[in-house]
Amino acid sequence: MSIQTPQKPLPGAYIQTPAVSRFQSLQSRQSISVPPQQSQALNQQSQSVQNGGQKSESQDIPPIERAARAVNEALTEESRYPDLDSYIGQGISSEYEVTTQPAWAPFQKTKMHPIPDRIFAQYNRAQVSTIMGLFADFNHAWVAIDNALYLWDYTHPSPDLVSFEEQPHTITAVRLVKPRVGVFVPAVIRLLVVATTADIILIGLSTQPAPHGGQSVALYTLKMSTPVKGLDVNIIEGSDSTGRIFFSGGLSDDVYEFTYQQEEKWFQNRCTKVNHTRKGYSTFTPATLFGQRVQQETVVQMIMDDTRRLLYTLSSRSTIRTFHMKGNGVLDLVITKPLGQTLSNVGHMTSQSDLISPSMAIVSISAITAQEATKIHLMASTSTGCRIFMSATSSYGNYSSSSNAPTSMQVQHVKFPPADATTSNSTQMTNYSNTPSINTSSSSLIPTRSAIRYAPGYFLAFIVKDQQSGTDLLFVSGPDSARIARPQDQQRLTRYAELALWLNLGSRAEDVGLATEPFAASSSPVGFGNELAVQFDKPTAEIAILTNTGVHMLRRRRLVDIFAAALRLGGGDEGLEGEVKKFIRQYGPGETASTALAVACGQAFDVTSDSRLARVLDLDVLEHARKAFIEYGGKPLFNENSMLDQSVPAIDLVQPSPRHRGLSRYISRLVRSIWKAPILRESITPTGGLVISSSVSMNKLREISQDLTKLKEFLNVNKSFIEGLAGPEALGNVKTKQDEVCLQAEHRALHALVILIDNIIEGLAFVLVLYDEKIEETVLSLANEVRQQVRNLSYEGLCTTALGKQLAKDLVKAIVNRNILSGSNVETVAEALRRRCGSFCSADDVVIFKAQEYVKRASEAGADSDVCREYLNESLRLFKQVTGSLSMEQMNWIIENYVSLQFYAGSIQLCLDKAQESDRGNRALTWIKEGRPPGDKRAEAFEFRRRCYDLVHQVILAVERSRTESPDMVDGHLTLSGRRREEAADEIDNSNDEVFQTDLYDWYLQENWSDRLLEVESPFVITYLERRSSDDIAHADLLWKYYLQHERYQDAAMVQLALAKSQFVLSLDQRIQYLGNAKTNASTTRPGIARSTRTEVLREISDLLDVANIQSDLLQRLKGESRISPDRRPQVIEELNGPVLPLTVLFNTYCEPAFYFDLCILIYEAADHRVASDIKATWQNLLDGVHTQAELMDQGPQPYEMIAEAVRSLGNRLGLSETMFPVGDLLPMLKRYAFNYQKNVGPETWVVDIFTDLQVPYESIYGVLESMFYNDEPPFQGRNRRFIGNDIVYVAKAWFHDSLRGSGTIFGSEDNAIAVSEMLHTVMQTGLDERRLEECQDLRMRIETMLR
């Protein structure tokens, strides 16, 4: 293992080493004061992210998702607005803020519509009676003068009178109700119930828009009436949900129902009346007791609660009765609540109070629907100005519902009137500890003549302070929604906080009506009363009050209106600052920021001097609101309690500023009505046709878009002043690391909201464009899956999710395709889409649509026409301009069409451009070069590029298929199809995209097209195969084959050598084969390769091949080695049948311990081990071992034969190396062996024959024998020297004959011949046997003869 130089630590690489801040120069100029432990924690948390640690979920959130989360959190917060039951609980209260400052008034008079002179003219002719009333929901008032009824639009300066004078009796009561469904024609939307002294008459009423902007009314005679003579009907009430009509008279407390139906039936008229309280003769019982007349109890008020199917009546004795409506026209009296019971209930809550006593009376009741409260059902107003809230429960203890009739009613809460100047401190009391004192003796609302309540708590009480003048003083109050939503003390129960106002009407109120839709911020009690949430979404509540002088309009002022007025009337900068701070104290900085922003964006309204309602556009007010938002928006807060949690980055511990909270709250209030709404609604016509409509009106969408555009402009103009949007220059105010982190978090949060605003504006513009087109055709052209997704798509999804944007693009494509099919100018349509909603249809989309049109024109022109080629080339040019904007779906469509038109080269060009455009930094290539590490993000870039290359593969397959359909050449000329295929091949071969070439070669191999790969003439092939060969032997084989095919033999040898040395799973035989081939290739000469280089490579291959052959011999020998245990044998074979092992391992681990001395000698040769003593000893051990082995064999060759074969074989392999095959040592060694162990066995010259067979020179053999003869070493001493002599004669004879065949000179030279002759003479004297002696004499004579 090589020793690596340790890397230098990077700044921030360790937790305790903070990285150098990019604001270091700034920090060095400023005095920084951060607690050490806090600074260290901040640095640790910021560095943990910089060093690639785990990122928190928050950090991975895209800006648009972060902004959507903020808006959803704001909407969720708004939806948790306390329900009525939570702040009107068991007990009493008297908390009001009665303002005398016009700016803080909760209501304001907007206009007084005078009674027309024509009505006064009719009034002057009255003979019997006159009654007046309002139909405020469509801006009409009415007056009944004797037997005539007149209606007029009180908002019109000179209205027309609509009259009903077709009956002769005096009118006693008039009521407008909703009809029962299915009884009348659809035009009759209301019923005018007119009670006279003789009959009750139903009159149909319809409305339609009037030219001046209001509504005109038409009356229809329905010929429906029932007699009521003697009942003196003065109270009428109707049920909106069921269409039932109830009434009562001034002579009894009976409750009647006016029933009506479309046609008469057996025993049942079209109209009749039913008494639900008295049956039979009791109806006519006189009101006397023991001869004295008793004051008859009568019904003075009747109200309906359709949500619970309850009808409440208030009698002249302050008794409240509750009736439950059932099916089949049943009305059951379920509760009777006398005044005494009410007083008793109240007595348990408070001590004696003059305001709650038997002398008071209940002057009115108001129903509280189930939508507004679960517990509280009813509010009763007393003549002393108290409001008594009551709840009703069933026999099971549950609160009543529409199907569950109540059985009892209890007082839940009493709201006493506001304090007046005469109230003494002794009358103050507290309900529970730590709560404001409660005034239970105020006479400010005495005497209350009548009162009424509208949701979510608007209370109007009419007080007659001056009986002689007959004029009413109006006390009006409403809930302080901002304080109820966010009380200052979160630990205590929410209090029933109200803002109140005194108004002098100057006349007597005759009727009151709600001129706008009933308030409902939600469909359930929780969140129902949140006026803040809907102040920009729904019309502000307006209440019409009819007096004998005209109709007074009272408008509820929103918080934004109050704030604007406070800024306008605050009086100077100091006063303005006080108003803003007061707002912050009461409603919190977040709500103040939201309200100030709304005012600055022109959301506030006020009544002008000419009684018009207009936006507040006063420049001073807007400027003050802008400053309030910027200067009082607060700062982000760092959560120091979580600093020790190192898993969370520091930036995620920052809570954005109230300014951010106010901005997100303002955005949520603008979009709340559409946020979760679907962008379209499908319905089926009776004939089966599809009708698609918007779930939100187009006008509403335009209003929201305009408001968001103003907000966007405001933020853009003032971003340099807003902390978090000001940009890098804001860092100049950073003093600590904590401040820097807070600023980063604030910027992240605000920037996300800015992006969201842009997205919503464009999303709304897109929807408006969508409905300008034929939306049914557009939606029907979508795929079923996409159509279902579009059907479920909400505005939130459209503006904040990737799926929403994709679906919008699908709709844009559908619009464009529809226009293409219809022959419209696509460019015009696409350009219009781009201008209005650029993110859904950008300038690139316009180019794409135009290019797609060219493709379709090319298809229409035919694949073989010149016009088709022109269109295709133009489309390719356009597509290449916007390659980065093409989706894979579009790419599939383009390639499919290009291939069908045989535009192969263009297809390949576009795919390669798309791949490179998607990865401009070539991250995929660096990932490939680094070995494709798993889990690397660069792999994503490669995967996308591969999707583009897959399209190229499809083109190649299409080209291959086309070869079977048309030939390349006809009559020696290239065909049109052949030329197109050739163009495609050129595009592929000439591409310099290495990633593409890499993927292409992978694909070739996957398709078993390795031959095609070997034919490619490209430098990328070698790079590819070299890179992949390190991991895959198949690629390595292809590499050396590629070299061979291109006659690069030296490179092929190097690859084969590397394979032989590699760690691939290869057998030893395979490695030897690679080495053999490598040796052959390295031996081949080729111009341009240095001889020294070739020699060096060849030597390395040869040396390794020698070792491999030794290892192969060892492997074969060990396979049959009986000394190895069966358990050990597989392991040994596995170790040897693999990579070539070092010689040291082969020698020490296997050969020497196993006594394989022949292999040891071969290892000496391969290792160039030249220690003569070791070599000689090993040869001796070899001879001993072979002899021992031979003797142990029962049958087989003689020992000398085995030794001869072993020496002969080893000599051949050693190549007669003088070092490893020392003849001077081996020959004496063998002669001694033969003398000692093989005497008289086998041929006497078998030892010498071994060396002659190995072609050892005779001169060398002769010299060794001569030395042995003269050395006189045992056992060849004395007479035994003849054995050496015999061999000398034998060798000399063979040498003599051999030299005669050569140059002709015996023994190579005359000197040698003389020496041999003398030696033969000496040998003859040693006692040779007779045959050898004759041979010696004969040979000597011949030598002597030839020497003469």
Side-chain angles (χ1 to χ4, degrees):
M1 179 183 296
S2 61
I3 301 176
Q4 297 183 354
T5 302
Q7 294 182 353
K8 184 178 181 180
L10 297 175
Y14 301 98
I15 290 179
Q16 302 298 336
T17 308
V20 178
S21 172
R22 56 197 177 104
F23 309 115
Q24 184 174 9
S25 59
L26 173 66
Q27 292 177 344
S28 63
R29 295 195 300 267
Q30 297 174 345
S31 175
I32 303 176
S33 176
V34 183
Q37 65 276 14
Q38 180 175 326
S39 175
Q40 182 179 359
L42 283 170
N43 283 320
Q44 288 175 2
Q45 289 169 324
S46 61
Q47 291 305 321
S48 65
V49 178
Q50 295 176 10
N51 298 324
Q54 286 188 342
K55 291 188 177 181
S56 69
E57 180 185 357
S58 176
Q59 278 200 316
D60 293 335
I61 298 176
I64 190 64
E65 185 179 340
R66 186 183 305 279
R69 180 177 295 184
V71 170
N72 282 321
E73 287 174 355
L75 289 171
T76 301
E77 182 186 24
E78 303 270 51
S79 68
R80 296 196 186 110
Y81 182 88
D83 61 327
L84 191 68
D85 297 322
S86 65
Y87 59 86
I88 304 184
Q90 190 77 24
I92 61 175
S93 64
S94 65
E95 185 174 355
Y96 297 86
E97 186 174 336
V98 182
T99 180
T100 57
Q101 302 177 14
W104 291 82
F107 294 86
Q108 66 182 153
K109 289 175 65 176
T110 57
K111 182 179 288 188
M112 198 278 284
H113 303 285
I115 296 176
D117 294 338
R118 295 172 61 187
I119 296 296
F120 283 116
Q122 296 293 335
Y123 177 77
N124 293 332
R125 298 191 185 98
Q127 296 179 358
V128 180
S129 69
T130 302
I131 54 176
M132 303 174 67
L134 286 170
F135 303 144
D137 55 344
F138 56 92
N139 299 330
H140 274 63
W142 60 269
V143 62
I145 302 174
D146 295 338
N147 66 323
L149 176 65
Y150 300 100
L151 286 73
W152 74 95
D153 183 351
Y154 56 76
T155 62
H156 197 282
S158 57
D160 294 330
L161 295 183
V162 179
S163 62
F164 174 70
E165 303 172 327
E166 284 77 15
Q167 60 85 31
H169 306 288
T170 300
I171 296 175
T172 59
V174 177
R175 185 70 173 177
L176 192 66
V177 299
K178 289 186 177 180
R180 207 165 66 240
V181 178
V183 177
F184 306 103
V185 295
V188 177
I189 62 171
R190 298 289 184 90
L191 291 179
L192 201 57
V193 185
V194 180
T196 68
T197 55
D199 307 283
I200 286 187
I201 305 167
L202 295 186
I203 302 170
L205 183 145
S206 67
T207 62
Q208 60 183 4
H212 67 275
Q215 289 183 317
S216 61
V217 172
L219 302 181
Y220 301 91
T221 302
L222 302 177
K223 297 182 179 179
M224 285 188 172
S225 63
T226 188
V228 292
K229 191 172 183 179
L231 295 182
D232 191 18
V233 177
N234 58 359
I235 303 293
I236 304 173
E237 183 61 47
S239 169
D240 290 345
S241 62
T242 64
R244 296 174 69 176
I245 301 171
F246 303 96
F247 62 91
S248 184
L251 302 178
S252 70
D253 60 351
D254 294 336
V255 175
Y256 295 86
E257 180 176 0
F258 182 179
T259 63
Y260 57 96
Q261 57 190 13
Q262 193 171 18
E263 297 177 352
E264 290 187 2
K265 298 181 180 179
W266 288 99
F267 307 109
Q268 192 173 4
N269 296 327
R270 288 185 67 194
C271 302
T272 186
K273 65 177 182 295
V274 177
N275 188 337
H276 286 290
T277 52
R278 301 195 184 188
K279 311 298 180 184
Y281 69 91
S282 61
T283 305
F284 304 101
T285 304
T288 59
L289 183 62
F290 301 109
Q292 296 182 357
R293 187 170 185 83
V294 179
Q295 180 66 37
Q296 179 64 46
E297 184 179 16
T298 60
V299 175
V300 297
Q301 189 180 4
M302 188 181 294
I303 58 171
M304 177 65 66
D305 181 1
D306 277 314
T307 61
R308 297 186 177 95
R309 292 187 176 273
L310 297 179
L311 173 69
Y312 301 102
T313 65
L314 174 64
S315 75
S316 56
R317 297 179 184 172
S318 297
T319 297
I320 299 173
R321 292 181 174 86
T322 304
F323 297 85
H324 184 243
M325 289 192 301
K326 296 182 178 179
N328 299 322
V330 176
L331 183 72
D332 290 339
L333 174 63
V334 292
I335 300 174
T336 299
K337 185 77 171 180
L339 178 60
Q341 286 188 14
T342 301
L343 295 175
S344 176
N345 292 159
V346 175
H348 295 293
M349 300 179 183
T350 180
S351 60
Q352 185 67 32
S353 172
D354 294 338
L355 301 181
I356 304 294
S357 66
S359 61
M360 73 163 196
I362 297 177
V363 296
S364 65
I365 56 176
S366 298
I368 298 175
T369 64
Q371 186 181 0
E372 186 177 1
T374 302
K375 297 179 183 179
I376 300 175
H377 288 53
L378 189 72
M379 186 197 81
S381 301
T382 69
S383 58
T384 57
C386 296
R387 281 177 278 169
I388 302 174
F389 295 90
M390 299 183 178
S391 62
T393 56
S394 66
S395 57
Y396 300 101
N398 298 322
Y399 294 99
S400 65
S401 62
S402 59
S403 59
N404 186 18
T407 56
S408 64
M409 181 175 284
Q410 302 83 26
V411 174
Q412 185 78 12
H413 187 89
V414 178
K415 185 70 181 270
F416 285 92
D420 55 13
T422 61
T423 303
S424 64
N425 292 334
S426 62
T427 61
Q428 302 291 328
M429 61 168 293
T430 56
N431 188 30
Y432 45 87
S433 61
N434 297 326
T435 60
S437 59
I438 300 175
N439 191 331
T440 61
S441 60
S442 172
S443 61
S444 59
L445 299 186
I446 297 177
T448 297
R449 180 175 63 84
S450 64
I452 193 167
R453 178 190 185 276
Y454 296 110
Y458 308 144
F459 174 63
L460 289 81
F462 298 93
I463 300 97
V464 183
K465 290 293 186 180
D466 187 355
Q467 298 290 343
Q468 294 181 352
S469 65
T471 60
D472 287 335
L473 187 63
L474 174 61
F475 174 79
V476 56
S477 67
D480 192 348
S481 301
R483 271 202 286 177
I484 293 174
R486 298 169 187 87
Q488 296 177 356
D489 189 352
Q490 299 288 344
Q491 303 299 323
R492 291 199 309 208
L493 295 174
T494 303
R495 298 200 301 271
Y496 187 11
E498 288 186 284
L499 295 173
L501 177 70
W502 289 95
L503 291 173
N504 191 350
L505 296 178
S507 55
R508 178 183 174 86
E510 300 294 340
D511 198 4
V512 182
L514 191 62
T516 52
E517 289 286 334
F519 181 89
S522 72
S523 58
S524 61
V526 177
F528 177 89
N530 195 349
E531 294 181 273
L532 300 175
V534 298
Q535 58 182 326
F536 314 123
D537 183 48
K538 291 188 176 183
T540 305
E542 285 192 87
I543 301 171
I545 303 172
L546 176 63
T547 69
N548 51 15
T549 59
V551 179
H552 299 261
M553 300 304 298
L554 196 63
R555 176 179 174 269
R556 170 66 163 170
R557 297 181 76 202
R558 305 169 301 168
L559 194 64
V560 65
D561 302 331
I562 294 174
F563 187 74
L567 294 179
R568 182 169 58 87
L569 303 175
D573 292 339
E574 294 182 1
L576 289 172
E577 183 179 355
E579 295 293 336
V580 174
K581 289 183 177 179
K582 177 181 177 181
F583 233 81
I584 294 174
R585 283 195 306 272
Q586 292 195 176
Y587 306 127
E591 191 61 50
T592 302
S594 175
T595 308
L597 181 60
V599 173
C601 292
Q603 287 286 0
F605 283 84
D606 202 357
V607 179
T608 62
S609 57
D610 56 352
S611 299
R612 289 185 304 104
L613 189 65
R615 288 186 183 271
V616 177
L617 300 177
D618 184 277
L619 295 181
D620 290 337
V621 173
L622 299 183
E623 176 61 18
H624 293 322
R626 184 191 73 86
K627 290 177 62 178
F629 175 73
I630 295 173
E631 297 177 5
Y632 294 93
K635 292 185 176 296
L637 179 64
F638 189 84
N639 186 0
E640 298 183 4
N641 294 328
S642 302
M643 281 200 318
L644 298 179
D645 185 1
Q646 298 297 323
S647 64
V648 181
I651 194 172
D652 290 338
L653 301 178
V654 178
Q655 178 182 339
S657 66
R659 182 186 298 106
H660 168 268
R661 195 157 59 249
L663 176 57
S664 59
R665 196 173 290 168
Y666 178 58
I667 295 172
S668 71
R669 289 169 181 174
L670 291 179
V671 302
R672 70 180 303 276
S673 60
I674 66 169
W675 195 241
K676 301 295 183 181
I679 65 170
L680 58 82
R681 183 186 292 117
E682 292 186 4
S683 58
I684 305 298
T685 63
T687 59
L690 176 66
V691 176
I692 296 179
S693 58
S694 174
S695 59
V696 183
S697 70
M698 296 296 103
N699 287 335
K700 183 64 177 176
L701 295 180
R702 293 187 185 96
E703 289 175 5
I704 296 174
S705 179
Q706 291 170 2
D707 291 339
L708 288 171
T709 302
K710 291 178 183 177
L711 174 59
K712 175 183 175 181
E713 293 172 354
F714 173 84
L715 295 175
N716 187 51
V717 170
N718 295 282
K719 63 182 180 181
S720 59
F721 306 105
I722 299 173
E723 185 176 334
L725 291 180
E729 57 271 15
L731 293 170
N733 298 323
V734 172
K735 296 182 179 180
T736 66
K737 181 67 175 179
Q738 178 173 315
D739 289 344
E740 179 185 339
V741 173
C742 288
L743 184 61
Q744 291 173 352
E746 181 78 356
H747 171 75
R748 183 178 69 174
L750 289 178
H751 178 66
L753 291 176
V754 171
I755 295 175
L756 177 62
I757 293 170
D758 285 336
N759 279 24
I760 298 175
I761 291 172
E762 289 201 353
L764 296 180
F766 169 72
V767 174
L768 292 171
V769 171
L770 186 63
Y771 281 97
D772 287 342
E773 298 289 328
K774 295 180 179 179
I775 188 171
E776 286 83 3
E777 296 180 9
T778 302
V779 173
L780 286 174
S781 66
L782 299 173
N784 290 334
E785 181 181 357
V786 176
R787 180 180 169 187
Q788 181 60 41
Q789 290 175 329
V790 170
R791 188 184 295 122
N792 298 331
L793 182 64
S794 65
Y795 283 90
E796 177 191 7
L798 174 67
C799 302
T800 64
T801 64
L803 176 61
K805 181 163 286 190
Q806 183 57 48
L807 293 176
K809 287 182 177 291
D810 291 338
L811 287 167
V812 168
K813 294 174 194 172
I815 293 172
V816 173
N817 291 335
R818 187 181 62 78
N819 281 274
I820 291 175
L821 293 175
S822 64
S824 302
N825 189 322
V826 176
E827 194 168 357
T828 302
V829 175
E831 183 62 27
L833 286 166
R834 186 194 65 78
R835 283 197 316 271
R836 299 180 66 177
C837 42
S839 63
F840 300 126
C841 182
S842 62
D844 288 355
D845 292 331
V846 176
V847 176
I848 293 171
F849 296 143
K850 189 174 181 180
Q852 287 176 332
E853 188 173 9
Y854 276 119
V855 174
K856 292 190 176 182
R857 290 180 183 176
S859 180
E860 294 169 357
D864 296 331
S865 67
D866 293 338
V867 175
C868 174
R869 291 292 121 179
E870 292 177 3
Y871 283 147
L872 289 175
N873 287 323
E874 181 62 19
S875 70
L876 177 62
R877 184 185 68 81
L878 293 174
F879 281 134
K880 293 176 77 171
Q881 290 178 7
V882 293
T883 307
S885 299
L886 291 172
S887 66
M888 289 310 299
E889 181 182 359
Q890 290 170 327
M891 287 292 297
N892 286 324
W893 181 88
I894 295 167
I895 301 307
E896 181 181 349
N897 282 272
Y898 276 4
V899 169
S900 67
L901 297 171
Q902 295 186 354
F903 194 37
Y904 306 126
S907 302
I908 295 170
Q909 282 184 35
L910 185 60
C911 292
L912 296 183
D913 284 358
K914 175 64 178 176
Q916 290 185 325
E917 180 67 24
S918 69
D919 183 24
R920 292 184 178 181
N922 236 356
R923 295 182 301 158
L925 181 58
T926 60
W927 179 70
I928 291 173
K929 288 183 176 179
E930 292 178 12
R932 310 189 184 204
D936 196 308
K937 286 191 174 181
R938 292 174 296 179
E940 299 175 3
F942 174 77
E943 288 300 325
F944 185 86
R945 293 182 73 156
R946 188 163 66 178
R947 292 175 63 189
C948 300
Y949 301 146
D950 287 343
L951 295 178
V952 179
H953 303 162
Q954 295 178 20
V955 176
I956 295 174
L957 292 175
V959 170
E960 294 302 315
R961 287 193 299 268
S962 70
R963 294 185 190 278
T964 62
E965 300 172 358
S966 60
D968 289 341
M969 306 288 290
V970 174
D971 297 333
H973 298 285
L974 192 64
T975 63
L976 180 61
S977 298
R979 185 169 68 253
R980 292 171 179 172
R981 289 190 285 267
E982 191 174 281
E983 291 172 353
D986 290 341
E987 287 294 335
I988 294 173
D989 294 341
N990 296 331
S991 172
N992 60 358
D993 184 352
E994 187 174 349
V995 181
F996 163 65
Q997 298 290 359
T998 300
D999 179 78
L1000 179 67
Y1001 304 151
D1002 282 338
W1003 183 70
Y1004 279 166
L1005 298 180
Q1006 181 182 339
E1007 296 292 321
N1008 295 321
W1009 289 356
S1010 56
D1011 293 341
R1012 176 174 293 192
L1013 176 61
L1014 297 178
E1015 294 171 359
V1016 175
E1017 294 284 350
S1018 171
F1020 293 122
V1021 177
I1022 296 176
T1023 304
Y1024 164 77
L1025 291 175
E1026 285 178 345
R1027 185 182 299 125
R1028 299 303 295 268
S1029 62
S1030 61
D1031 301 324
D1032 184 21
I1033 191 172
H1035 289 84
D1037 281 335
L1038 285 174
L1039 180 58
W1040 66 261
K1041 289 177 182 178
Y1042 185 87
Y1043 283 138
L1044 282 181
Q1045 187 156 331
H1046 294 79
E1047 298 182 353
R1048 296 176 58 174
Y1049 302 110
Q1050 190 74 12
D1051 294 328
M1054 294 299 296
V1055 174
Q1056 291 166 333
L1057 174 61
L1059 280 172
K1061 296 165 66 175
S1062 70
Q1063 296 300 316
F1064 288 125
V1065 180
L1066 294 171
S1067 68
L1068 185 60
D1069 289 340
Q1070 289 174 308
R1071 296 177 189 273
I1072 292 173
Q1073 183 178 359
Y1074 279 127
L1075 289 170
N1077 293 335
K1079 187 173 183 180
T1080 302
N1081 292 324
S1083 302
T1084 305
T1085 60
R1086 183 77 177 163
I1089 300 177
R1091 180 182 182 86
S1092 59
T1093 302
R1094 183 167 60 86
T1095 303
E1096 183 179 351
V1097 172
L1098 187 60
R1099 181 185 299 112
E1100 181 182 359
I1101 295 172
S1102 299
D1103 291 346
L1104 189 61
L1105 182 59
D1106 291 342
V1107 177
N1109 286 327
I1110 295 172
Q1111 184 172 327
S1112 178
D1113 291 343
L1114 177 62
L1115 174 64
Q1116 298 304 321
R1117 196 169 297 181
L1118 289 177
K1119 285 182 178 179
E1121 179 61 70
S1122 60
R1123 290 176 293 173
I1124 302 177
S1125 66
D1127 296 337
R1128 170 68 175 159
R1129 189 185 308 277
Q1131 181 181 354
V1132 171
I1133 294 175
E1134 182 180 358
E1135 290 175 355
L1136 291 174
N1137 193 24
V1140 179
L1141 300 176
L1143 289 171
T1144 305
V1145 175
L1146 295 177
F1147 184 85
N1148 294 327
T1149 306
Y1150 297 102
C1151 294
E1152 188 178 41
F1155 308 128
Y1156 297 153
F1157 299 113
D1158 55 341
L1159 298 183
C1160 290
I1161 295 171
L1162 292 175
I1163 291 174
Y1164 290 159
E1165 171 68 14
D1168 197 20
H1169 183 73
R1170 297 177 178 273
V1171 179
S1173 58
D1174 291 345
I1175 296 170
K1176 183 177 180 180
T1178 304
W1179 274 106
Q1180 184 62 57
N1181 290 335
L1182 173 64
L1183 299 179
D1184 294 343
V1186 173
H1187 177 75
T1188 302
Q1189 181 182 0
E1191 287 185 336
L1192 294 176
M1193 298 173 61
D1194 295 336
Q1195 297 179 351
Q1198 293 292 330
Y1200 81 90
E1201 292 177 328
M1202 294 182 63
I1203 286 180
E1205 180 59 28
V1207 174
R1208 189 179 292 112
S1209 174
L1210 198 55
N1212 283 326
R1213 294 189 61 176
L1214 293 173
L1216 300 180
S1217 168
E1218 293 181 1
T1219 305
M1220 298 301 144
F1221 195 81
V1223 176
D1225 292 331
L1226 287 177
L1227 185 55
M1229 194 182 299
L1230 289 170
K1231 289 299 293 181
R1232 283 193 293 272
Y1233 168 76
F1235 181 84
N1236 294 328
Y1237 298 104
Q1238 298 292 302
K1239 195 173 184 179
N1240 300 323
V1241 178
E1244 62 179 10
T1245 61
W1246 66 269
V1247 173
V1248 176
D1249 288 341
I1250 293 174
F1251 295 95
T1252 58
D1253 291 345
L1254 291 173
Q1255 297 182 356
V1256 176
Y1258 291 107
E1259 185 177 5
S1260 300
I1261 301 172
Y1262 177 83
V1264 174
L1265 292 173
E1266 184 181 24
S1267 298
M1268 292 177 64
F1269 184 83
Y1270 285 116
N1271 288 340
D1272 196 26
E1273 294 179 355
F1276 303 108
Q1277 295 173 329
R1279 186 170 176 79
N1280 291 339
R1281 294 173 62 192
R1282 68 179 185 277
F1283 294 105
I1284 303 301
N1286 289 335
D1287 288 339
I1288 290 175
V1289 174
Y1290 178 76
V1291 171
K1293 183 178 180 180
W1295 188 10
F1296 175 78
H1297 290 292
D1298 183 72
S1299 62
L1300 290 178
R1301 290 192 297 268
S1303 61
T1305 303
I1306 57 173
F1307 300 111
S1309 66
E1310 185 176 347
D1311 292 338
N1312 288 342
I1314 295 172
V1316 170
S1317 177
E1318 293 176 353
M1319 184 65 193
L1320 292 175
H1321 176 72
T1322 302
V1323 168
M1324 286 189 297
Q1325 299 175 4
T1326 59
L1328 296 176
D1329 56 54
E1330 186 176 352
R1331 183 175 60 85
R1332 288 291 182 209
L1333 180 60
E1334 291 179 359
E1335 290 179 357
C1336 183
Q1337 291 174 347
D1338 181 62
L1339 178 61
R1340 187 168 182 272
M1341 289 179 61
R1342 295 181 66 180
I1343 294 172
E1344 292 293 334
T1345 301
M1346 295 187 71
L1347 287 175
R1348 295 191 188 103

